[in-house]
Amino acid sequence: LDSFINYYKDMGIEFTHENLIVTNGASEGLYFTLFTLCDAGDEVIIPEPFYTNYSSFVDMAGCIVKPFATFSETGFHLPSKEKIMAAFTEKTKAILICNPSNPTGTVYTKEEIQILAEICREKDLYFITDEVYREFVYDDFEFYSPLSIKEIEDKVILIDSISKRYSSCGARIGLVASKNVEITSAILKLTQARLCSPTLEQIAAAELYNTPKAYFTQVKEEYTKRRNVLY
């Protein structure tokens, strides 16, 4: 946990141990989050196209995906606030985004994140933000997290993982983080039911966070070359 805390501190985000739960990958973290926040029949708003397994996780939690469309013509950026609001009903419990997006690659702007935050504040919704691709932002775009918005920090749940950041998908070390300790305390009960995340992988993950920042520069340069060749 200390390694995670130091990582987020470098980003300007202050967490304590009670804000963080280590999970078996981001997938388990998201499932436990949905199971904690939602009752059967509740709805989760997700911009479409979205990572296919989001649908599976929502189904497993007994909930319903309510998508709203984004389009290639606008770079898969979010539509107007009014169009997003059209997807809401009295059963809506949360908004879920992946930023940068899998599968579209879209990096949502600060203004887009603030619109979603505004909706969550107005409608008393949770804001689930999957940020496993945080380091992979190209073409001078800037990543912005709802964790930076003080007014909704008790509504934001971060899903994160070492899998993409350090090319270590098989290690199965993920994370749920929130300033709302009622949420993390509830998730802790679910994690105790399955005992623990793999110990050796946790030790390795703690050391991975000592990786020099130059590593990310080199990886991004290589990924940019591959993207440009494909494009």
Side-chain angles (χ1 to χ4, degrees):
L1 287 179
D2 289 335
S3 296
F4 281 117
I5 288 170
N6 291 333
Y7 167 76
Y8 294 113
K9 189 173 183 179
D10 286 343
M11 294 171 48
I13 299 169
E14 298 284 344
F15 282 132
T16 65
H17 282 209
E18 65 180 356
N19 300 130
L20 308 177
I21 302 290
V22 176
T23 58
N24 289 307
S27 296
E28 183 184 68
L30 179 54
Y31 169 67
F32 282 166
T33 296
L34 292 168
F35 203 81
T36 296
L37 301 181
C38 300
D39 294 319
D42 282 346
E43 298 171 351
V44 180
I45 302 296
I46 311 177
E48 190 175 37
F50 56 79
Y51 173 51
T52 306
N53 271 341
Y54 284 170
S55 182
S56 301
F57 301 146
V58 173
D59 285 345
M60 289 166 68
C63 303
I64 300 165
V65 171
K66 288 297 290 292
F68 62 87
T70 63
F71 300 95
S72 59
E73 291 83 359
T74 58
F76 296 104
H77 282 280
L78 302 183
S80 67
K81 179 180 177 180
E82 291 71 28
K83 289 184 178 179
I84 297 172
M85 295 287 286
F88 284 81
T89 73
E90 73 228 2
K91 298 291 287 181
T92 302
K93 189 57 88 52
I95 296 174
L96 167 60
I97 64 166
C98 181
N99 186 32
S101 171
N102 175 4
T104 68
T106 301
V107 181
Y108 297 119
T109 65
K110 180 177 181 179
E111 290 72 25
E112 288 175 293
I113 298 298
Q114 288 175 331
I115 287 172
L116 295 179
E118 187 177 295
I119 293 171
C120 289
R121 190 170 62 248
E122 291 174 0
K123 295 294 185 180
D124 193 27
L125 305 172
Y126 293 103
F127 194 154
I128 307 170
T129 177
D130 179 344
E131 299 180 2
V132 301
Y133 296 99
R134 185 185 299 111
E135 272 75 21
F136 306 111
V137 177
Y138 311 107
D139 299 332
D140 298 320
F141 287 101
E142 291 188 9
F143 171 80
Y144 184 76
S145 173
L147 288 166
S148 304
I149 304 174
K150 188 77 174 174
E151 292 81 2
I152 63 161
E153 67 176 13
D154 65 324
K155 294 292 185 183
V156 178
I157 301 95
L158 168 68
I159 306 296
D160 211 344
S161 172
I162 68 169
S163 62
K164 311 302 185 297
R165 190 167 298 129
Y166 300 109
S167 299
S168 51
C169 299
R172 307 315 301 151
I173 298 295
L175 180 84
V176 178
S178 179
K179 296 282 187 157
N180 189 329
V181 294
E182 289 187 10
I183 292 173
T184 52
S185 295
I187 293 172
L188 179 62
K189 292 179 174 65
L190 296 172
T191 62
Q192 287 171 332
R194 57 89 167 117
L195 300 182
C196 72
S197 298
T199 304
L200 292 179
E201 282 83 346
Q202 288 191 62
I203 294 169
E207 289 303 314
L208 281 174
Y209 278 104
N210 295 321
T211 301
K213 287 186 170 60
Y215 164 80
F216 296 109
T217 302
Q218 294 166 2
V219 168
K220 199 151 77 168
E221 287 174 354
E222 177 60 31
Y223 285 0
T224 300
K225 290 177 185 175
R226 295 181 189 182
R227 182 204 63 172
N228 291 345
V229 168
L230 180 63
Y231 185 75

